[in-house]
Coordinates of all heavy atoms in Angstrom, one line a residue:
L283 N 1.1 -17.2 -9.6 CA 1.7 -16.6 -10.8 C 3.0 -16.0 -10.5 O 4.0 -16.2 -11.2 CB 0.7 -15.7 -11.5 CG 1.3 -14.8 -12.6 CD1 1.6 -15.7 -13.8 CD2 0.3 -13.7 -13.0
A284 N 3.0 -15.2 -9.4 CA 4.3 -14.5 -9.1 C 5.4 -15.5 -8.7 O 6.5 -15.4 -9.1 CB 4.0 -13.5 -7.9
Q285 N 5.0 -16.5 -7.9 CA 6.0 -17.5 -7.4 C 6.6 -18.3 -8.6 O 7.8 -18.5 -8.7 CB 5.4 -18.5 -6.5 CG 5.0 -17.9 -5.1 CD 4.3 -18.8 -4.2 OE1 3.9 -19.9 -4.6 NE2 4.1 -18.4 -2.9
K286 N 5.7 -18.7 -9.6 CA 6.2 -19.4 -10.7 C 7.0 -18.5 -11.7 O 8.0 -19.1 -12.3 CB 5.0 -19.9 -11.5 CG 5.4 -21.0 -12.6 CD 4.1 -21.6 -13.2 CE 4.4 -22.7 -14.1 NZ 5.3 -22.4 -15.3
A287 N 6.8 -17.3 -11.7 CA 7.5 -16.4 -12.6 C 8.7 -15.7 -11.9 O 9.3 -14.8 -12.6 CB 6.6 -15.3 -13.2
G288 N 9.0 -16.1 -10.7 CA 10.2 -15.5 -10.0 C 10.0 -14.1 -9.5 O 10.9 -13.4 -9.2
G289 N 8.7 -13.7 -9.4 CA 8.4 -12.3 -8.8 C 7.8 -12.4 -7.5 O 8.1 -13.4 -6.7
K290 N 7.1 -11.4 -7.1 CA 6.4 -11.3 -5.8 C 5.1 -10.6 -5.8 O 5.0 -9.6 -6.6 CB 7.4 -10.7 -4.8 CG 6.9 -10.7 -3.4 CD 8.0 -10.1 -2.5 CE 7.5 -10.0 -1.0 NZ 8.5 -9.4 -0.1
M291 N 4.1 -11.0 -5.1 CA 2.8 -10.3 -5.2 C 2.7 -9.2 -4.1 O 3.3 -9.4 -3.0 CB 1.7 -11.4 -4.9 CG 0.3 -10.8 -5.2 SD -1.0 -12.0 -4.6 CE -0.9 -11.7 -2.8
F292 N 2.0 -8.2 -4.4 CA 1.9 -7.0 -3.5 C 0.4 -6.6 -3.5 O -0.3 -6.8 -4.5 CB 2.7 -5.9 -3.9 CG 4.2 -6.1 -3.7 CD1 4.9 -6.7 -4.8 CD2 4.9 -5.8 -2.6 CE1 6.3 -7.0 -4.7 CE2 6.3 -6.1 -2.5 CZ 6.9 -6.6 -3.5
Y293 N 0.0 -6.0 -2.4 CA -1.3 -5.4 -2.4 C -1.3 -4.0 -2.7 O -0.2 -3.4 -2.7 CB -2.0 -5.7 -1.0 CG -2.3 -7.1 -0.7 CD1 -1.4 -7.9 0.0 CD2 -3.5 -7.7 -1.3 CE1 -1.7 -9.3 0.2 CE2 -3.7 -9.1 -1.0 CZ -2.8 -9.9 -0.3 OH -3.1 -11.2 -0.1
K294 N -2.4 -3.3 -3.0 CA -2.4 -1.9 -3.4 C -1.8 -1.0 -2.4 O -1.3 0.2 -2.8 CB -3.8 -1.5 -3.8 CG -4.8 -1.6 -2.7 CD -6.2 -1.3 -3.3 CE -7.2 -1.5 -2.2 NZ -8.6 -1.3 -2.7
N295 N -1.8 -1.4 -1.1 CA -1.2 -0.4 -0.1 C 0.2 -0.7 0.2 O 0.8 -0.2 1.1 CB -2.0 -0.6 1.2 CG -2.1 -2.0 1.7 OD1 -1.6 -2.9 1.1 ND2 -2.6 -2.1 3.0
Q296 N 0.9 -1.6 -0.7 CA 2.3 -2.0 -0.5 C 3.1 -1.5 -1.6 O 4.2 -2.1 -1.9 CB 2.4 -3.5 -0.3 CG 1.7 -4.1 0.9 CD 1.8 -5.6 1.0 OE1 1.6 -6.3 0.0 NE2 2.2 -6.1 2.1
T297 N 2.6 -0.5 -2.4 CA 3.4 -0.1 -3.6 C 4.8 0.5 -3.2 O 5.7 0.3 -4.1 CB 2.6 1.0 -4.4 OG1 2.2 2.0 -3.5 CG2 1.3 0.4 -4.9
N298 N 4.9 1.1 -2.1 CA 6.2 1.7 -1.8 C 7.3 0.6 -1.6 O 8.4 0.7 -1.9 CB 6.1 2.5 -0.5 CG 5.4 3.8 -0.8 OD1 5.4 4.4 -1.9 ND2 4.7 4.4 0.3
I299 N 6.8 -0.5 -1.0 CA 7.7 -1.7 -0.8 C 8.1 -2.3 -2.1 O 9.2 -2.6 -2.4 CB 7.0 -2.7 0.1 CG1 6.6 -2.2 1.5 CG2 7.9 -4.0 0.3 CD1 5.8 -3.1 2.3
L300 N 7.1 -2.3 -3.0 CA 7.3 -2.9 -4.4 C 8.3 -2.0 -5.1 O 9.3 -2.5 -5.7 CB 6.0 -2.9 -5.2 CG 6.1 -3.1 -6.7 CD1 6.7 -4.5 -7.0 CD2 4.7 -3.1 -7.3
F301 N 8.1 -0.7 -5.1 CA 9.1 0.2 -5.8 C 10.5 0.1 -5.3 O 11.5 0.0 -6.0 CB 8.6 1.7 -5.6 CG 7.3 2.0 -6.3 CD1 6.5 3.1 -5.9 CD2 6.8 1.1 -7.2 CE1 5.3 3.4 -6.5 CE2 5.5 1.4 -7.8 CZ 4.8 2.5 -7.5
K302 N 10.6 -0.1 -3.9 CA 11.9 -0.2 -3.3 C 12.6 -1.5 -3.8 O 13.8 -1.6 -4.1 CB 11.8 -0.1 -1.8 CG 13.2 -0.1 -1.1 CD 13.0 0.1 0.4 CE 14.3 0.3 1.1 NZ 15.3 -0.8 0.8
D303 N 11.8 -2.6 -3.8 CA 12.3 -3.9 -4.3 C 12.8 -3.8 -5.7 O 13.9 -4.4 -6.0 CB 11.3 -5.0 -4.1 CG 11.1 -5.5 -2.7 OD1 11.8 -5.0 -1.9 OD2 10.3 -6.5 -2.5
L304 N 12.1 -3.2 -6.6 CA 12.5 -3.0 -7.9 C 13.7 -2.2 -8.1 O 14.6 -2.5 -8.9 CB 11.3 -2.4 -8.8 CG 10.1 -3.3 -9.0 CD1 9.0 -2.5 -9.7 CD2 10.4 -4.6 -9.9
I305 N 13.7 -1.1 -7.3 CA 14.9 -0.2 -7.5 C 16.2 -0.8 -6.9 O 17.3 -0.7 -7.5 CB 14.6 1.1 -6.7 CG1 13.5 1.9 -7.4 CG2 15.9 2.0 -6.6 CD1 12.9 3.1 -6.6
D306 N 16.0 -1.6 -5.8 CA 17.2 -2.2 -5.2 C 17.6 -3.6 -5.8 O 18.7 -4.1 -5.5 CB 16.9 -2.4 -3.6 CG 16.8 -1.1 -2.9 OD1 17.2 -0.1 -3.4 OD2 16.2 -1.2 -1.8
N307 N 16.8 -4.1 -6.6 CA 17.0 -5.4 -7.3 C 18.2 -5.3 -8.3 O 18.0 -4.6 -9.3 CB 15.8 -6.0 -7.9 CG 15.9 -7.4 -8.2 OD1 17.0 -7.9 -8.5 ND2 14.8 -8.2 -8.1
K308 N 19.3 -5.9 -8.0 CA 20.5 -5.8 -8.8 C 20.3 -6.7 -10.1 O 21.2 -6.6 -11.0 CB 21.7 -6.3 -8.0 CG 22.1 -5.3 -6.9 CD 23.3 -5.8 -6.2 CE 23.7 -4.8 -5.0 NZ 24.9 -5.3 -4.3
A309 N 19.2 -7.5 -10.2 CA 19.0 -8.2 -11.5 C 18.6 -7.3 -12.6 O 18.7 -7.7 -13.8 CB 18.0 -9.3 -11.2
Y310 N 18.1 -6.1 -12.2 CA 17.7 -5.2 -13.3 C 18.7 -4.1 -13.3 O 18.7 -3.2 -12.5 CB 16.3 -4.6 -12.9 CG 15.3 -5.7 -12.5 CD1 14.6 -5.6 -11.4 CD2 15.1 -6.8 -13.3 CE1 13.7 -6.7 -11.0 CE2 14.3 -7.8 -13.0 CZ 13.5 -7.7 -11.8 OH 12.6 -8.7 -11.4
F311 N 19.6 -4.1 -14.3 CA 20.7 -3.2 -14.3 C 20.8 -2.6 -15.7 O 20.3 -3.1 -16.7 CB 22.0 -3.9 -14.0 CG 22.2 -5.2 -14.8 CD1 22.8 -5.2 -16.1 CD2 21.9 -6.4 -14.2 CE1 22.9 -6.4 -16.7 CE2 22.0 -7.6 -14.9 CZ 22.6 -7.5 -16.2
T312 N 21.4 -1.4 -15.8 CA 21.6 -0.8 -17.0 C 22.8 -1.4 -17.7 O 23.9 -1.6 -17.1 CB 21.9 0.7 -16.8 OG1 20.8 1.3 -16.1 CG2 22.2 1.5 -18.1
T313 N 22.7 -1.7 -19.0 CA 23.7 -2.3 -19.8 C 24.4 -1.2 -20.6 O 23.7 -0.3 -21.1 CB 23.2 -3.4 -20.7 OG1 22.2 -2.9 -21.5 CG2 22.6 -4.5 -19.9
Q314 N 25.7 -1.3 -20.9 CA 26.5 -0.4 -21.6 C 27.0 -1.1 -22.9 O 27.6 -2.2 -22.8 CB 27.6 0.1 -20.8 CG 28.2 1.5 -21.4 CD 29.1 2.1 -20.4 OE1 30.2 1.5 -20.1 NE2 28.8 3.2 -19.8
K315 N 26.8 -0.5 -24.0 CA 27.1 -1.1 -25.3 C 28.0 -0.2 -26.1 O 27.7 1.0 -26.2 CB 25.9 -1.5 -26.1 CG 26.1 -2.4 -27.3 CD 24.8 -2.8 -27.9 CE 25.0 -3.7 -29.1 NZ 23.8 -4.1 -29.7
S316 N 29.1 -0.7 -26.6 CA 30.0 0.1 -27.5 C 29.5 -0.1 -28.9 O 29.4 -1.1 -29.5 CB 31.4 -0.4 -27.3 OG 32.2 0.3 -28.2

């Protein structure tokens, strides 16, 4: 499921790695609208 949806699977003891991936991922950015 993760591979098909462009994500990545983690185990419950890997949450810190998951959080870091999400925070560092530049695909998820704040948009500014006028």
Side-chain angles (χ1 to χ4, degrees):
L283 170 68
Q285 290 175 350
K286 191 173 188 300
K290 188 178 179 182
M291 189 191 76
F292 295 87
Y293 293 96
K294 59 188 177 183
N295 59 350
Q296 297 178 313
T297 52
N298 290 332
I299 302 174
L300 168 62
F301 295 162
K302 188 175 185 305
D303 280 4
L304 290 173
I305 294 168
D306 294 342
N307 196 326
K308 294 181 180 180
Y310 314 128
F311 50 83
T312 299
T313 58
Q314 200 170 65
K315 189 176 182 180
S316 176

